[in-house]
């Protein structure tokens, strides 16, 4: 298994490992035993840290100003909350944020 982009620290829950591909705006779920990528979920901005796991959910913030909640098993988005007061995109490190 090979992932691109700088990676965040990883978190492990059972047989799954979750990591953020920071510049790719993506959370990746990897099988701990085989190294197989089980799913990827891309969001609207850069990710600075690994997600937080709680009761089958992954929670994380993105530089697009939103907080996301994913189903940890499938990678499906449960909800998205725009935490920024308004949607104002800037460019930083050649990335739209």
């Amino acid at each position: 298994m090979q992932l691109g982009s700088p990676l965040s620290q990883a978190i492990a829950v059972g047989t799954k490992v979750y990591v953020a591909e920071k510049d790719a705006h993506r959370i990746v779920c990897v099988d701990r035993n085989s190294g197989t990528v089980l799913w990827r979920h891309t969001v609207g901005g850069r990710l600075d840290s690994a997600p937080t796991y709680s009761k089958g959910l992954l929670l994380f913030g993105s530089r697009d100003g939103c907080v996301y909640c994913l189903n940890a098993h499938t990678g499906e988005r449960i909800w998205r909350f725009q935490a920024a007061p308004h949607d104002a995109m800037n460019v930083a490190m050649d990335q739209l944020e």
Side-chain angles (χ1 to χ4, degrees):
M1 177 227 27
Q2 196 169 15
L3 300 175
S5 179
L7 301 176
S8 71
Q9 66 278 20
I11 62 167
V13 180
T15 61
K16 294 185 172 82
V17 176
Y18 304 96
V19 65
E21 287 183 291
K22 294 179 177 187
D23 293 342
H25 310 182
R26 188 166 38 221
I27 298 289
V28 181
C29 175
V30 178
D31 182 273
R32 182 179 58 148
N33 299 317
S34 68
T36 303
V37 173
L38 301 173
W39 56 259
R40 290 182 165 100
H41 186 92
T42 304
V43 297
R46 199 167 184 278
L47 302 171
D48 289 330
S49 58
T52 297
Y53 178 90
S54 179
K55 300 178 182 177
L57 302 175
L58 294 174
L59 302 147
F60 60 95
S62 169
R63 292 257 182 122
D64 65 359
C66 296
V67 177
Y68 292 86
C69 177
L70 305 181
N71 177 311
H73 182 69
T74 65
E76 179 183 352
R77 185 170 79 192
I78 305 296
W79 53 259
R80 181 184 83 170
F81 171 71
Q82 183 168 335
H86 52 83
D87 191 13
M89 295 296 200
N90 300 307
V91 175
M93 297 171 29
D94 295 324
Q95 298 262 344
L96 194 61
E97 327 191 317

